[in-house]
Amino acid sequence: MNICDSDTIDFSLSTIYGASKVTDVLYADVVILNTCSVRSQSEQKAFSYIGRLEEFKLQNPNLKIVIIGCMAERLGYKIKKRFSGVDLIIGSKDINITAFKIINLYFTNNYLKKNFNYKFKVIEYVTITSGCNNYCSYCIVPFVRGIEKSINYQLLIDKCSLMAKNGTKEVMLLGQNVNSYKYNGVNFSLLLKRIASIENLYRIRFMTNHPNDFDDKLIDTITNEYKICPHIHLPMQSASNKILKAMNRKYTYEYYFNLVNKLRKKIPGVSITTDIIVGFPNETERDFNDTLNAIKTIKFDGLYVFKYSARSNTTAFKMFDTVTTEEKKRRHSVILKESNKISAKIISKMIGSTQQVLAEKFDNGIIKSRTRTGHKVFINGSEKYVGKIFNVIIKSVKVNSLYGSIINKI
Ligand code: 5AD
Ligand code: SF4
């Protein structure tokens, strides 16, 4: 989501105002730091980075430092107090006017060249909903990003069409809960169908999903539209019903498990990934084992695991943080180890198979590509493959990455 917001600002600054990105802070007139508040660790990282940015001001006194994103929304006053070198703070709720504010304050007329110098990427992110109404008890998002809003349907179609015309092959639709997209009677399923009909756009991905909003119509759409990639990121968070209830996730493990089975049955070759939080208040060894066992049973293609981090304003913040830092670390590493083992087994089964990939980048003689299921494949090749879709045969696996060779030459 933050990468997408940064891209939007980059797009506005470069297309409307002719600004361009530089490769190093040393050459910049303006530095924009986009921040995250989801866990306290992200905020600590941002604080120390702002300190480092201030040092660049000693070398270039004209440098302007702009802090944007959730942390700017939540802790703007603190940032201002602690870092005198920061010139502008714009919260996440003001994302749409960010570029405008920056231009107004800092760019002179020299920059207003109006030349279209934005280069669309092979894969572009498109935000379709902002904010969230779910109020999971641990989560700060509803407080820093506000209530859920769906972006105008026609705007989204126009945006994806413009991207496809300018070389984008895949769009990743983003939102805290894309399944609940609704704009003037257009729901997520309809939006997907309409985007799938855009010429020269070949792949559609989306994230993230809430298990409660994943209905049968949506499953059918994914199954029937070839352009929609069969990869579902479905955050489980925990497999203990006691913890799920305390998290206000509003589903049980049994419901989640049935949904996974349904997805696997209906969407051929689907890959399913998840998010897990360990060390939520009152998570006992038994609750933790429920989650660990569920991971062994479900066998996710991949997962992200997070140590619970108490965030102010949330309801969980008032609960006693019972699990020690050491224990959270241990649970985190147990889950990670188990999941890596499972993922490695799943991808090793792909050796010898033919996969359709989209080449995203070329670096040092190596093409970085992805399968329809979202697995990374590295291939020896040349730059001419970037942005192309072709078949590869998977030859080997190294640390959760696949290595393949091209079958049909372009
Ligand atoms: N502590 C730890 N993990 C969190 N997440 C969200 N809030 C917290 C928190 N307070 C995780 C959830 C979510 C992912 C994006 O971040 O697993 O799905
Ligand atoms: Fe946070 Fe829950 Fe909304 Fe996801 S669904 S953004 S975890 S409140």
Side-chain angles (χ1 to χ4, degrees), residues 38-39 138-140 235 237 275-277 306-311:
V38 168
R39 285 168 293 278
Y138 51 81
C139 184
I140 201 167
Q237 313 297 3
D275 289 345
I276 300 290
I277 297 176
F306 306 102
K307 287 169 263 177
Y308 170 71
S309 164
R311 313 305 290 130

Side-chain angles (χ1 to χ4, degrees), residues 76-340:
Y77 66 97
K78 239 189 195 167
I79 298 171
K80 218 175 216 159
K81 226 166 96 189
R82 191 161 148 193
F83 303 99
S84 57
V86 170
D87 297 277
L88 184 63
I89 297 168
I90 309 166
S92 44
K93 289 175 187 160
D94 292 328
I95 173 76
N96 293 330
I97 52 167
T98 301
F100 178 73
K101 273 197 181 173
I102 293 165
I103 292 295
N104 256 1
L105 281 159
Y106 300 113
F107 283 81
T108 65
N109 281 334
N110 300 337
Y111 286 92
L112 306 181
K113 290 190 200 115
K114 303 230 175 210
N115 52 342
F116 192 91
N117 61 5
Y118 188 86
K119 200 172 171 317
F120 283 96
K121 294 185 278 298
V122 173
I123 300 170
E124 283 283 347
Y125 293 144
V126 177
T127 298
I128 65 162
T129 68
S130 64
C132 185
N133 297 341
N134 282 318
Y135 291 94
C136 300
S137 67
Y138 51 81
C139 184
I140 201 167
V141 167
F143 304 97
V144 285
R145 292 219 176 230
I147 55 160
E148 185 182 280
K149 285 193 203 107
S150 294
I151 313 284
N152 183 313
Y153 160 75
Q154 196 52 49
L155 264 177
L156 292 175
I157 301 300
D158 291 349
K159 195 170 184 177
C160 294
S161 306
L162 178 76
M163 288 170 168
K165 256 192 215 133
N166 284 282
T168 294
K169 303 291 186 239
E170 174 181 311
V171 288
M172 164 70 106
L173 308 179
L174 293 175
Q176 307 303 337
N177 179 12
V178 288
N179 312 146
S180 61
Y181 177 88
K182 205 160 200 71
Y183 190 90
N184 279 356
V186 177
N187 63 13
F188 185 52
S189 194
L190 266 172
L191 177 72
L192 279 176
K193 276 188 202 161
R194 184 61 186 86
I195 294 179
S197 71
I198 295 173
E199 232 181 295
N200 297 324
L201 190 66
Y202 297 99
R203 285 183 170 188
I204 304 161
R205 293 184 195 281
F206 52 92
M207 82 185 328
T208 188
N209 303 284
H210 195 293
N212 285 352
D213 297 307
F214 219 103
D215 59 36
D216 287 357
K217 267 233 170 76
L218 178 56
I219 300 177
D220 288 344
T221 304
I222 298 167
T223 312
N224 297 331
E225 294 283 350
Y226 183 73
K227 286 188 184 180
I228 305 174
C229 291
H231 170 206
I232 315 283
H233 185 68
L234 197 66
M236 178 172 82
Q237 313 297 3
S238 167
S240 148
N241 285 337
K242 180 190 96 187
I243 297 296
L244 283 172
K245 191 152 194 252
M247 285 177 164
N248 194 29
R249 290 291 289 178
K250 302 187 193 96
Y251 55 80
T252 59
Y253 171 64
E254 291 71 26
Y255 168 87
Y256 183 91
F257 183 66
N258 285 338
L259 178 59
V260 167
N261 284 341
K262 187 152 67 173
L263 290 170
R264 285 188 167 152
K265 210 168 111 196
K266 291 204 169 167
I267 309 171
V270 71
S271 93
I272 298 178
T273 53
T274 200
D275 289 345
I276 300 290
I277 297 176
V278 292
F280 187 82
N282 302 318
E283 184 189 68
T284 60
E285 192 61 27
R286 200 170 160 176
D287 297 317
F288 172 69
N289 278 327
D290 284 349
T291 304
L292 184 61
N293 287 333
I295 287 165
K296 288 180 185 167
T297 310
I298 294 175
K299 297 188 174 59
F300 292 103
D301 291 77
L303 61 77
Y304 295 103
V305 52
F306 306 102
K307 287 169 263 177
Y308 170 71
S309 164
R311 313 305 290 130
S312 55
N313 285 325
T314 62
T315 39
F317 188 68
K318 294 172 207 106
M319 300 175 195
F320 193 59
D321 201 352
T322 51
V323 185
T324 63
T325 310
E326 275 312 299
E327 183 56 17
K328 278 180 193 158
K329 253 192 207 157
R330 188 192 71 84
R331 292 181 189 178
H332 182 269
S333 90
V334 170
I335 299 268
L336 203 59
K337 237 194 213 151
E338 187 59 39
S339 127
N340 283 341

Side-chain angles (χ1 to χ4, degrees), residues 58 69 86 153 157 279 286 367 386 392 394:
L58 301 175
V86 170
Y153 160 75
I157 301 300
R286 200 170 160 176
I367 302 167
V386 173
V392 295
I394 305 299

